Amino acid sequence: FLLFLQVTCNCFTISNGEMQDVGVGLYPSLSLLNHSCNPNCVIVFEGYQLLLRSVREIQIGEELTISYVESLVPTRERQKQLVRQYCFECDCLLCQNQEKDAEKLSGEDHAWKAVKDAVNEVRYPKSKEEWRHVLARCQNLLSSNDLPDTNIYQLKMLDCAMDACINIESWEEALYYGSRTLEPYRLYYPGFHPLRAVQLMRVGKLQYSQGMFPQALETLKQAYNIMKVTHGTDHSLMKVLMEIKEECEAMMRIQ
């Protein structure tokens, strides 16, 4: 049991190019890195290879840190997860100030709690028919509440609706939901964050598919500026981004 706990505490969640979880892995040397909810480094994957990337200037002698938990969730939830899984509480400035917690849970309590429950019930569908059921649930909840898109559970619901639309190839509606996520992503993932880079890339691809080439190019440029820091210019996802960006520029030249 103790061995299991040690492994659990030191494992990393392996994600694919779009930052979706695909497994777990044990990387002993990098498990020595300590936690901060506002870290100076991030971890991205290239296949099963784990890459440590700095996201801001690091002073000589400054400790390298990563976030063990999703920074999007409110301070209380982050602390609960850290205590439950890693047996410590975080006292970083983000936790001390409880920054943005009010915005994360803005809106009527009963409304966001219903959306939270619905988000937690969603399991990754295996067919287009199942995705259509997920989309219908999302559409119903999103149209029946007055929550701001900055509420984190509303944001997760928008992400879920976007994923459903992509999986049933409803590109225009996917773009509608994706576009609504960009401002909350900018708010909660300021600076250089891989999740924001990937979200900008996804929305840029959808804009491109709808023939919105100037808008797509601007969105893809924003993704590039973040991704060159969070992923590096040699990452396979960066190469895909560059291909789409170049195609978009070519389309604009011939219009």
Side-chain angles (χ1 to χ4, degrees), residues 149-184:
D149 292 344
T150 51
N151 179 286
I152 60 169
Y153 300 112
Q154 181 86 339
L155 176 58
K156 289 181 179 182
M157 185 62 72
L158 289 169
D159 262 331
C160 188
M162 178 186 179
D163 287 341
C165 289
I166 289 172
N167 278 277
I168 64 173
E169 300 177 6
S170 181
W171 311 121
E172 186 176 354
E173 192 173 3
L175 176 57
Y176 167 70
Y177 291 122
S179 297
R180 288 175 61 179
T181 70
L182 292 187
E183 180 55 26

Side-chain angles (χ1 to χ4, degrees), residues 10-254:
N10 291 289
C11 275
F12 289 89
T13 300
I14 300 171
S15 56
N16 62 14
E18 294 199 344
M19 303 299 290
Q20 296 168 331
D21 298 346
V22 295
V24 293
L26 188 60
Y27 300 83
S29 58
L30 288 177
S31 68
L32 298 173
L33 291 167
N34 282 326
H35 163 85
S36 171
C37 296
N38 185 27
N40 53 27
C41 296
V42 295
I43 281 173
V44 295
F45 284 87
E46 181 72 279
Y48 293 114
Q49 182 183 10
L50 185 154
L51 306 174
L52 181 69
R53 304 280 306 176
S54 62
V55 291
R56 61 173 182 262
E57 187 175 339
I58 297 173
Q59 302 301 316
I60 295 175
E62 181 182 354
E63 181 182 18
L64 302 182
T65 56
I66 58 173
S67 181
Y68 293 178
V69 296
E70 171 54 69
S71 59
L72 182 65
V73 300
T75 303
R76 182 182 296 179
E77 294 300 317
R78 293 200 308 274
Q79 295 287 10
K80 282 182 180 179
Q81 186 176 345
L82 288 169
V83 170
R84 183 173 63 249
Q85 189 167 351
Y86 302 101
C87 304
F88 73 86
E89 291 186 354
C90 180
D91 62 352
C92 72
L93 287 176
L94 200 65
C95 289
Q96 292 175 26
N97 299 335
Q98 299 189 18
E99 188 177 343
K100 300 189 176 97
D101 279 0
E103 290 173 283
K104 290 177 180 180
L105 299 178
S106 54
E108 296 291 334
D109 285 7
H110 68 87
W112 65 253
K113 285 177 180 177
V115 174
K116 178 184 178 181
D117 290 342
V119 168
N120 290 337
E121 289 170 5
V122 172
R123 298 293 178 266
Y124 198 83
K126 295 180 175 62
S127 68
K128 282 191 175 183
E129 187 59 32
E130 290 177 346
W131 274 116
R132 289 190 182 94
H133 286 303
V134 169
L135 178 58
R137 182 86 185 275
C138 292
Q139 289 169 329
N140 180 57
L141 282 164
L142 289 168
S143 63
S144 62
N145 72 61
D146 296 320
L147 292 172
D149 292 344
T150 51
N151 179 286
I152 60 169
Y153 300 112
Q154 181 86 339
L155 176 58
K156 289 181 179 182
M157 185 62 72
L158 289 169
D159 262 331
C160 188
M162 178 186 179
D163 287 341
C165 289
I166 289 172
N167 278 277
I168 64 173
E169 300 177 6
S170 181
W171 311 121
E172 186 176 354
E173 192 173 3
L175 176 57
Y176 167 70
Y177 291 122
S179 297
R180 288 175 61 179
T181 70
L182 292 187
E183 180 55 26
Y185 267 75
R186 186 199 63 77
L187 176 65
Y188 296 132
Y189 300 114
F192 299 102
H193 198 290
L195 285 175
R196 185 174 174 224
V198 169
Q199 191 75 348
L200 283 162
M201 180 178 172
R202 297 176 78 206
V203 172
K205 287 166 65 177
L206 289 167
Q207 290 170 327
Y208 177 80
S209 75
Q210 297 299 300
M212 300 165 61
F213 302 124
Q215 297 94 324
L217 184 58
E218 175 58 31
T219 305
L220 293 169
K221 283 180 178 178
Q222 291 181 49
Y224 172 84
N225 289 334
I226 299 172
M227 200 174 288
K228 68 182 179 182
V229 174
T230 60
H231 290 68
T233 54
D234 293 331
H235 196 281
S236 58
L237 193 63
M238 176 64 103
K239 293 174 182 176
V240 172
L241 172 60
M242 289 301 298
E243 288 175 5
I244 303 167
K245 182 172 169 288
E246 288 168 6
E247 289 173 11
C248 191
E249 290 169 335
M251 293 300 296
M252 289 178 65
R253 283 195 294 270
I254 63 176

